[in-house]
């Protein structure tokens, strides 16, 4: 197969122009998946004194989480990765709304402004995102893997990842930007592999079988490994830093990484008008600002489990041997869920 900067005629035959039905299906699946995840996290955070595994409500939350993640996975097979990733802000918006209902949090002015910006940004990026859908086949994935610009991108990403890992592990640099960049670089590979696996499964169901090609299983392994290490570093970040910092920074870095991956690997911005690119980036920026406003300075959580002690409840003593004031904690589902899960699993 010949190499080049863009697909040849055979590969271009797999590209559908303006597939509105498929495009909208991917958007709807992604939005529903993110809403289910938000509902799941709020349900799982409502725990009493009984063990979590004996609660039917907790298992219902687990099931909703599974359906939500499955929906996000399937959405990559129908719509561009550069669109599905920014739609993750729907989960943040839904969590803010549900936290008012489930956790009885007070609606703040920043929540209203942030939600308005996030919704506006979502509307803008949906309208100006690439509206082309590619039928992902094994041959097409192999072609994209061998493109020189992706190989250069992969090399630069690996060098940057090794450098950041050296700073984090060997030099003991525990800055939040270092950790979240590690997560974002892994997320780039996760997005590429998830879209490839999801697309090939969808193509196998509706068209020609793609599961007989080795590239499908290669992408499957990359997806599992990159996702596992991504979760590992993200969990470490949640232990070292406040969720009000981790949540928005992770959203911004993950979304940016996914957009770059979609542009470099799947060439999703090819032949896209300059106005569309500008408006799409503007929509992303509005979503970023909205998420930061929603996540920052959340009120303190009220623990329902008396056996779980939040880290901010442990007194810290200064050099003058006085107890420092309590730090504010993330009042929504993320921090409470971390506390609830503390006794449920070992560290990654």
């Amino acid at each position: 197969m010949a190499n080049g900067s863009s697909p040849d005629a055979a590969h271009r035959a797999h590209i559908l122009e303006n597939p509105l039905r498929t495009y909208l299906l991917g958007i709807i699946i992604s939005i529903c998946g993110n809403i289910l995840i938000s509902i799941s996290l709020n349900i799982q955070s409502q725990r009493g004194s009984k063990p979590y595994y004996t609660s039917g409500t907790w298992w219902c939350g687990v099931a909703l989480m599974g359906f939500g993640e499955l929906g996000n996975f399937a959405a990559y097979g129908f719509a561009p990765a550069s669109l599905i990733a920014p739609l993750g802000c729907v989960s943040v918006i839904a969590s803010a709304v549900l936290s008012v209902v489930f956790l009885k949090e007070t609606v703040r002015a920043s929540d209203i402004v942030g939600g308005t910006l996030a919704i506006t940004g979502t509307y803008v990026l949906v309208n100006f995102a690439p509206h082309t859908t590619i039928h992902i086949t094994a041959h097409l994935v192999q072609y994209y893997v061998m493109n020189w610009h992706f190989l250069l991108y992969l090399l630069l990403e690996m060098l940057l990842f090794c450098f950041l890992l050296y700073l984090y592990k060997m030099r003991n640099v525990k800055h939040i930007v270092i950790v979240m960049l590690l997560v974002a670089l892994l997320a780039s590979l996760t997005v590429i592999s998830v879209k490839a696996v999801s697309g090939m499964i969808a193509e196998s169901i509706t068209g020609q079988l793609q599961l007989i090609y080795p590239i499908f299983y290669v992408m499957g392994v990359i997806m599992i490994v990159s996702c596992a290490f991504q979760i590992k570093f993200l969990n470490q970040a949640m232990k070292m830093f406040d969720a009000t910092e981790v949540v928005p920074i992770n959203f911004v870095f993950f979304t940016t990484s996914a957009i770059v991956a979609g542009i470099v690997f799947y060439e999703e911005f090819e032949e896209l008008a300059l106005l569309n690119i500008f408006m799409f980036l503007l929509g992303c920026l509005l979503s970023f600002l909205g998420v930061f406003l929603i996540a920052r300075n959340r009120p303190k959580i009220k623990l329902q489990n008396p056996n779980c002690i939040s880290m901010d409840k442990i007194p810290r003593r200064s050099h003058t041997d006085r107890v420092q004031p309590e730090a504010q904690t993330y009042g929504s589902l993320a921090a409470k869920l971390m506390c609830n899960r503390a006794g449920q699993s070992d560290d990654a």
Side-chain angles (χ1 to χ4, degrees):
M1 183 178 298
N3 291 333
S5 59
S6 61
D8 56 20
H11 290 136
R12 286 189 181 275
H14 293 288
I15 301 178
L16 303 179
E17 295 295 336
N18 299 320
L20 184 60
R21 184 176 178 181
T22 303
Y23 179 79
L24 291 178
L25 180 61
I27 295 175
I28 293 173
I29 292 175
S30 178
I31 292 176
C32 292
N34 283 304
I35 292 176
L36 286 178
I37 291 173
S38 298
I39 295 174
S40 166
L41 294 177
N42 275 277
I43 288 177
Q44 292 183 71
S45 68
Q46 302 297 308
R47 280 183 55 196
S49 58
K50 295 182 179 180
Y52 68 94
Y53 51 81
T54 63
S55 171
T57 303
W58 187 87
W59 284 110
C60 178
V62 171
L64 289 177
M65 174 71 75
F67 284 118
E69 294 293 355
L70 183 62
N72 276 333
F73 173 80
Y76 280 99
F78 295 98
S82 55
L83 171 61
I84 298 301
L87 288 179
C89 69
V90 173
S91 179
V92 179
I93 298 172
S95 296
V97 174
L98 293 174
S99 66
V100 175
V101 177
F102 285 94
L103 306 181
K104 307 303 180 182
E105 291 189 2
T106 303
V107 179
R108 305 167 304 158
S110 60
D111 293 332
I112 298 175
V113 175
T116 302
L117 288 175
I119 293 174
T120 303
T122 301
Y123 175 80
V124 171
L125 64 88
V126 165
N127 278 275
F128 291 94
H131 285 199
T132 58
T133 297
I134 302 175
H135 282 217
I136 303 297
T137 64
H139 293 298
L140 191 61
V141 173
Q142 290 174 359
Y143 171 83
Y144 284 143
V145 168
M146 296 307 297
N147 270 346
W148 69 267
H149 48 76
F150 170 70
L151 295 177
L152 178 60
Y153 168 78
L154 183 62
L155 176 62
L156 294 176
E157 186 175 86
M158 292 175 61
L159 292 175
L160 179 58
F161 183 85
C162 292
F163 175 70
L164 293 174
L165 191 62
Y166 167 77
L167 293 178
Y168 180 67
K169 292 291 187 181
M170 305 301 295
R171 307 296 295 181
N172 200 33
V173 180
K174 304 298 183 182
H175 195 279
I176 187 171
V177 173
I178 300 295
V179 185
M180 302 316 298
L181 279 175
L182 289 171
V183 175
L185 292 174
L186 291 167
S188 177
L189 294 178
T190 303
V191 168
I192 290 174
S193 56
V194 163
K195 183 171 178 62
V197 172
S198 178
M200 283 188 278
I201 291 177
E203 185 68 15
S204 299
I205 295 174
T206 60
Q208 186 179 3
L209 183 65
Q210 302 295 313
L211 309 187
I212 58 176
Y213 297 99
I215 190 65
F216 173 81
Y217 300 97
V218 172
M219 285 294 177
V221 171
I222 294 175
M223 177 183 68
I224 294 173
V225 173
S226 61
C227 186
F229 280 96
Q230 181 184 339
I231 294 174
K232 173 183 173 67
F233 285 113
L234 186 58
N235 285 338
Q236 292 178 359
M238 293 293 284
K239 293 178 181 179
M240 292 187 293
F241 308 103
D242 192 83
T244 54
E245 299 174 300
V246 175
V247 170
I249 293 177
N250 179 60
F251 173 71
V252 172
F253 282 14
F254 172 83
T255 301
T256 303
S257 177
I259 293 173
V260 173
I263 294 174
V264 174
F265 190 83
Y266 292 105
E267 303 176 357
E268 292 177 348
F269 277 25
E270 190 177 25
E271 300 178 359
L272 193 66
L274 185 61
L275 175 62
N276 287 62
I277 295 176
F278 174 79
M279 294 302 294
F280 175 83
L281 296 178
L282 176 62
C284 291
L285 179 60
L286 292 176
S287 298
F288 294 162
L289 292 176
V291 169
F292 268 99
L293 288 175
I294 293 174
R296 74 180 185 92
N297 296 330
R298 302 299 301 181
K300 299 177 182 180
I301 62 174
K302 297 179 181 180
L303 296 175
Q304 294 184 350
N305 185 0
N307 297 322
C308 182
I309 302 177
S310 178
M311 290 301 294
D312 69 327
K313 301 297 183 182
I314 300 177
R316 301 176 183 178
R317 296 193 176 274
S318 63
H319 294 293
T320 60
D321 203 35
R322 293 186 303 175
V323 178
Q324 295 180 351
E326 292 181 352
Q328 280 197 339
T329 58
Y330 189 40
S332 68
L333 55 99
K336 177 173 281 191
L337 184 60
M338 285 177 58
C339 183
N340 290 338
R341 286 178 172 173
Q344 298 175 18
S345 60
D346 297 328
D347 293 338

